[in-house]
Amino acid sequence: MTAPTPTRSGLDQLAGEFVTLADALDYAADGETGLNFYSIRGELTLAMPYRTLRHEALALARRLLQLGLRQGERVAIVAETHPDFMRVFFACQYAGLVPAPLPMPFVFGGRETYVAHVRRLIEEAQAVALFVPEALRGWFSPADAGSLRLCSTLAGLPADGEDLPCGGTGADIKLPTIGADHTAYLQFSSGSTRFPIGVVVQQRALMANISGILQHGLQIRPDDRAISWLPLYHDMGLVGFLLSPLAGQVSVDLLATQDFVRRPQLWLSLITGNRGTISYSPSFGYELCTRRERAINKTELDLSSWRIAGIGGDMIRPASLASFARIFAPCGYRPEAFLPSYGMAEATLAISFAPVGRGIETDIVDLDRLEQDGVAARPASLDTRARTLVLCGTSLPGHEIEIRSVDGDALGDRRVGRIFVRGASLMKGYDRRPDETQAILSPDGWLETGDLGYRLGDTLVLTGRAKDLIIINGRNIWPQDLEWSIERSVADVRTGDVAAFSIEQDGHETLIVAVEARGVADPADSERLVRAVGDAVRAGHGLDSLVVLMAPGSLPYTSSGKLSRSAVRQRYLADRLAAVAVPA
């Protein structure tokens, strides 16, 4: 096909009203819509109608079973924004296999770090097969396969009938019957553990979340069209902009994440050219477009079709969104298109949505009362230190949200506490991690999200993370991971000599790394240490950081012997860190 799939499917629109994801694809395949893949030059490289995806996924499902894979086994897939990922993911749905999407290497500092990370994810998932993109064919040697029985690109599969465990042809293979209680996929989620663990997402939970997203959150229409550059290994990209549109028979125009980062105009140009109506981004996507304003030809843009500009994945900064709306207003962008929402992988994706068509609504609170008393009180005067917080709407139908104190008591309006959620979209549990599951999921179905917030009637307002989670560019980053990378990579840094945290600086989240500088004799030594720490963070995590050198023994610890990152952060903000010899 030389043209993208049409916007209208020609079917009676069903908004996620299916038992399984395979049922949703079966229905969408009778229509005209599908997936469209675009290059960094903005050119359509392939239009894949849902009927084509279904046909190819069914054939591949039989091939995978013919290769000896068995129902319920896990298949790791590097989640490239490419038709091959879609083919393998949906083949797993029909074959009763459990796909586990893996990140692409652009979020890592190099080949060695990336391969080691993927190897651990494969082990965590207990995957028996791994599919990688053609571009990464040479990155994985037989030694990387470990317990894998299959490690291949899609094109590298053996020919039909060639040295296959089951013999015969793919057509001889009978596909299993998949029901609501079967596992749809594993979604890796970074929690309080040292390494990501798999969230078990059942078909029942997935379809409950998708129907809530389409019907309640987005209020889907027959003339909607989705545009996305979000990574498919992340729940917002996978569920929000692959699985949900498919289950609503909506066409999706897809850009690779790294292509968007290089050329953010591509996102806005696709919305313009294809009359996109729904697209989401964490804060950094809107901020990137704002920062690159001069490189974007606004005279070529028409954003008047964009009715839902979703925002999620991190704390929402209303000032950044206001800048985006102001800059692109001449292009037809309407600020009421902004749609705040809240979610997490443990709830499949979405938990709450603000009302469609009302844009960013905020609550201004007394910052001192918020910090000291845990009360979101209105400022007493114009001189009061204040914080502007975004309203994240109401819970999906059939779901409940509670704000609880540290003692577990339900709190009233404007009382800040831990956010708990219950409903049909929640995970079955972490994969083979009963202790971690029990720690956050109660026997009566309440999930402790790890976030803090308060209520205004039925409306949820987030205030931040309950723990030390660092959120940069929509990524959830645990400080321990950064600290361990530095301790492993930099010979001059001992265990316990480093603390990582983030601050908001000039409207952006900035990563700060405080390091105790041992053996630093002059500015040259300081410069080498700063550079080595920065390189370690960049190589291991793909992040830039501001490195602060401190006097040995000056990092604060709690009475139980744990590093107090919150105290380090407070001292930094108060300019009371015992900094030493930072090079000019």
Side-chain angles (χ1 to χ4, degrees):
M1 292 180 67
T2 57
T5 60
T7 294
R8 287 186 172 269
S9 71
L11 300 170
D12 291 334
Q13 189 169 44
L14 298 182
E17 301 156 62
F18 305 98
V19 176
T20 69
L21 194 55
D23 295 338
L25 180 52
D26 288 344
Y27 184 77
D30 288 333
E32 301 300 319
T33 50
L35 307 174
N36 306 280
F37 300 86
Y38 287 82
S39 72
I40 193 170
R41 294 184 295 275
E43 298 169 344
L44 178 67
T45 58
L46 179 70
M48 175 184 276
Y50 290 129
R51 71 170 67 92
T52 300
L53 175 59
R54 178 180 183 273
H55 174 77
E56 294 178 351
L58 281 168
L60 180 57
R62 294 186 174 94
R63 294 282 292 119
L64 295 178
L65 296 178
Q66 186 188 18
L67 285 166
L69 303 184
R70 296 184 296 274
Q71 182 179 353
E73 290 186 319
R74 282 78 182 284
V75 177
I77 318 168
V78 175
E80 181 184 23
T81 305
H82 187 277
D84 281 354
F85 172 77
M86 316 299 179
R87 294 175 178 118
V88 178
F89 186 91
F90 284 97
C92 290
Q93 300 302 315
Y94 286 113
L97 300 167
V98 179
L102 306 179
M104 286 287 289
F106 68 87
V107 299
F108 295 85
R111 172 174 172 172
E112 183 177 342
T113 301
Y114 173 70
V115 171
H117 185 83
V118 166
R119 187 185 299 120
R120 291 190 63 189
L121 290 175
I122 291 168
E123 294 171 355
E124 181 67 30
Q126 293 192 330
V128 301
L130 168 66
F131 284 92
V132 299
E134 288 289 338
L136 303 183
R137 179 193 292 267
W139 285 36
F140 294 89
S141 67
D144 294 315
S147 61
L148 295 175
R149 301 202 301 273
L150 174 65
C151 181
S152 178
T153 64
L154 190 55
L157 288 177
D160 193 13
E162 174 189 337
D163 297 328
L164 300 179
C166 298
T169 67
D172 300 327
I173 301 295
K174 183 178 179 180
L175 297 177
T177 299
I178 306 302
D181 292 326
H182 284 91
T183 300
Y185 59 91
L186 289 185
Q187 175 71 62
F188 286 108
S189 174
S190 294
S192 58
T193 56
R194 182 169 182 167
F195 195 75
I197 55 179
V199 172
V200 178
V201 180
Q202 289 182 308
Q203 297 282 352
R204 184 189 308 279
L206 173 63
M207 300 316 300
N209 204 246
I210 286 176
S211 62
I213 290 170
L214 296 177
Q215 297 175 31
H216 169 77
L218 304 180
Q219 298 177 18
I220 204 79
R221 303 173 181 175
D223 60 350
D224 274 326
R225 187 179 191 94
I227 313 285
S228 181
W229 52 264
L230 300 170
L232 293 169
Y233 65 86
H234 189 276
D235 51 322
M236 191 191 298
L238 179 66
V239 181
F241 282 85
L242 174 59
L243 308 185
S244 291
L246 181 149
Q249 307 86 58
V250 171
S251 279
V252 189
D253 301 313
L254 295 158
L255 282 171
T257 305
Q258 61 268 37
D259 291 345
F260 161 73
V261 172
R262 293 174 189 146
R263 295 187 59 199
Q265 174 153 356
L266 289 172
W267 181 32
L268 307 180
S269 296
L270 268 184
I271 293 172
T272 296
N274 290 355
R275 308 310 293 152
T277 62
I278 301 174
S279 195
Y280 249 75
S281 174
S283 296
F284 103 93
Y286 296 104
E287 292 168 357
L288 184 61
C289 291
T290 300
R291 293 198 302 271
R292 304 270 186 91
E293 174 196 1
R294 293 183 179 179
I296 294 176
N297 188 346
K298 294 193 288 295
T299 63
E300 297 180 352
L301 298 180
D302 178 3
L303 305 179
S304 60
S305 65
W306 197 356
R307 77 176 186 91
I308 292 180
I311 175 72
D314 55 9
M315 289 296 293
I316 300 172
R317 301 184 183 94
S320 297
L321 301 184
S323 296
F324 179 91
R326 174 181 52 80
I327 288 170
F328 293 99
C331 307
Y333 182 79
R334 296 168 292 107
E336 57 267 29
F338 282 127
L339 182 67
S341 57
Y342 169 61
M344 59 192 306
E346 286 82 353
T348 304
L349 174 60
I351 293 174
S352 72
F353 281 91
V356 172
R358 292 191 4 205
I360 301 296
E361 297 183 305
T362 61
D363 188 36
I364 301 176
V365 302
D366 183 323
L367 185 55
D368 290 326
R369 293 288 309 279
L370 190 71
E371 292 177 349
Q372 297 171 17
D373 305 325
V375 176
R378 296 188 183 281
S381 70
L382 294 177
D383 296 329
T384 302
R385 282 204 316 145
R387 182 179 180 188
T388 301
L389 297 164
V390 173
L391 278 58
C392 290
T394 59
S395 62
L396 295 181
H399 292 70
E400 304 171 78
I401 295 175
E402 279 191 0
I403 309 298
R404 299 182 184 177
S405 69
V406 292
D407 297 324
D409 299 324
L411 299 175
D413 278 15
R414 296 193 172 276
R415 299 289 303 184
V416 177
R418 293 178 177 267
I419 300 172
F420 285 73
V421 61
R422 180 167 66 176
S425 298
L426 266 59
M427 67 176 182
K428 180 180 179 180
Y430 290 121
D431 186 37
R432 300 176 296 105
R433 298 289 187 120
D435 292 342
E436 287 86 345
T437 299
Q438 187 177 9
I440 69 165
L441 190 61
S442 69
D444 58 350
W446 284 101
L447 174 74
E448 181 176 1
T449 66
D451 293 318
L452 297 172
Y454 61 94
R455 303 184 69 138
L456 293 175
D458 292 332
T459 297
L460 175 67
V461 185
L462 265 68
T463 57
R465 299 294 190 182
K467 296 184 180 178
D468 290 327
L469 190 64
I470 297 170
I471 304 176
I472 296 177
N473 293 348
R475 291 173 57 192
N476 293 343
I477 305 154
W478 284 97
Q480 293 94 330
D481 295 335
L482 303 173
E483 292 155 7
W484 291 326
S485 292
I486 295 165
E487 290 164 1
R488 288 194 303 265
S489 304
V490 183
D492 293 328
V493 177
R494 301 178 186 176
T495 299
D497 277 2
V498 56
F501 56 96
S502 67
I503 64 168
E504 187 170 350
Q505 192 173 60
D506 298 326
H508 305 287
E509 204 70 7
T510 299
L511 174 63
I512 311 294
V513 178
V515 179
E516 294 187 356
R518 301 180 188 275
V520 171
D522 53 44
D525 288 338
S526 296
E527 187 173 1
R528 280 192 292 271
L529 180 56
V530 167
R531 186 167 56 249
V533 171
D535 288 346
V537 174
R538 195 174 299 109
H541 304 275
L543 294 169
D544 291 325
S545 58
L546 176 61
V547 181
V548 178
L549 301 186
M550 302 174 59
S554 59
L555 283 175
Y557 284 80
T558 67
S559 57
S560 60
K562 295 181 180 179
L563 176 66
S564 178
R565 298 179 188 86
S566 61
V568 182
R569 184 177 184 274
Q570 289 166 8
R571 292 181 188 181
Y572 178 86
L573 292 172
D575 199 25
R576 290 191 293 107
L577 280 184
V580 298
V582 179

